[in-house]
Amino acid sequence: MTALPEPSANEPHLFTVAEYAALGEVEFGYSELQEGRILMSPSPAPDHNHASLQLAMQLSAQLPAELEVIQDVDLDLELTEPDAPGFSRRPDLLVLERRARRRVRSEGGLMRASEVSVVIEIVSPGSKRMDRIVKRGEYADAGIPHYWIVDLAEPVSLVACHLAGEFGYQDPGDVTGVFTTDVPFPVRLDLDVLV
């Protein structure tokens, strides 16, 4: 773990993605990086973790061989140059190229947005605006082809957003019960087992 730099009296230190990655865990809960600023969040509730595990297990069994699902890992959104204040999020789930994990193991650094097929966030009571608006915009700007937002409020729902060029993400609305799609790969998710 690297120590946090001392803030200047006039300006706070804005972190690059590399500086953020070098910090490791700085406190209980987890952190994300937004425009060079470290944001702290509490650890997820048990229902949130249960839903994440259930989604991961369902996805893992249905993914093509070249993809894998990973929970709760830092993601470089690649929105800035390496020496500029950066953006890193910690999505609940990532569906990404298997080779990404090998790259991180051999080279270090973070998972990259360019390696991700689907990013999934599970909405918490305090994260609705962040997940539905802020992260939706950031993930679209990062060029992640698909963003799925899962809301555990009854009835459990999933909205599957897909990039639509200059329009950012488009979506067909919330799905409840069973979510099925063929894009970006064939999958069937039972949403009712998430709670």
Side-chain angles (χ1 to χ4, degrees):
M1 182 168 132
T2 303
L4 290 170
E6 291 295 321
S8 160
N10 298 328
E11 293 183 32
H13 180 77
L14 299 178
F15 290 83
T16 67
V17 170
E19 289 173 326
Y20 172 75
L23 288 175
E25 290 297 322
V26 294
E27 302 231 2
F28 292 112
Y30 69 92
S31 61
E32 293 181 315
L33 189 66
Q34 183 174 338
E35 294 184 280
R37 291 173 177 82
I38 296 176
L39 308 176
M40 301 303 296
S41 295
S43 294
D47 282 345
H48 187 279
N49 286 344
H50 172 79
S52 179
L53 178 61
Q54 292 298 315
L55 278 171
M57 290 189 313
Q58 289 184 62
L59 281 165
S60 186
Q62 300 176 65
L63 290 176
E66 69 276 8
L67 298 176
E68 67 183 355
V69 62
I70 297 182
Q71 292 180 280
D72 192 34
V73 65
D74 289 317
L75 175 66
D76 179 356
L77 296 184
E78 301 177 290
L79 293 175
T80 61
E81 295 298 319
D83 60 344
F87 290 79
S88 174
R89 292 293 183 185
R90 191 177 296 187
D92 293 306
L93 295 165
L94 292 174
V95 176
L96 71 168
E97 301 166 1
R98 283 190 183 277
R99 62 187 172 152
R101 192 163 43 91
R102 289 192 299 272
R103 180 194 53 76
V104 170
R105 186 183 320 125
S106 65
E107 299 172 14
L110 304 179
M111 301 294 185
R112 297 176 183 149
S114 56
E115 298 165 325
V116 175
S117 179
V118 181
V119 64
I120 303 170
E121 294 284 5
I122 300 169
V123 176
S124 297
S127 73
K128 288 184 186 209
R129 185 177 196 307
M130 180 65 74
D131 292 337
R132 292 190 182 270
I133 298 171
V134 176
K135 289 183 181 180
R136 184 175 172 140
E138 287 179 1
Y139 294 153
D141 289 347
I144 298 171
H146 299 273
Y147 176 34
W148 297 350
I149 306 167
V150 176
D151 194 331
L152 300 179
E154 295 289 342
V156 177
S157 63
L158 184 149
V159 61
C161 307
H162 63 277
L163 276 180
E166 64 188 52
F167 302 106
Y169 284 125
Q170 299 285 306
D171 69 78
D174 290 7
V175 173
T176 59
V178 175
F179 169 73
T180 58
T181 187
D182 290 328
V183 179
F185 43 80
V187 69
R188 179 186 187 279
L189 299 175
D190 182 352
L191 303 177
D192 292 333
V193 302
L194 303 185
V195 290

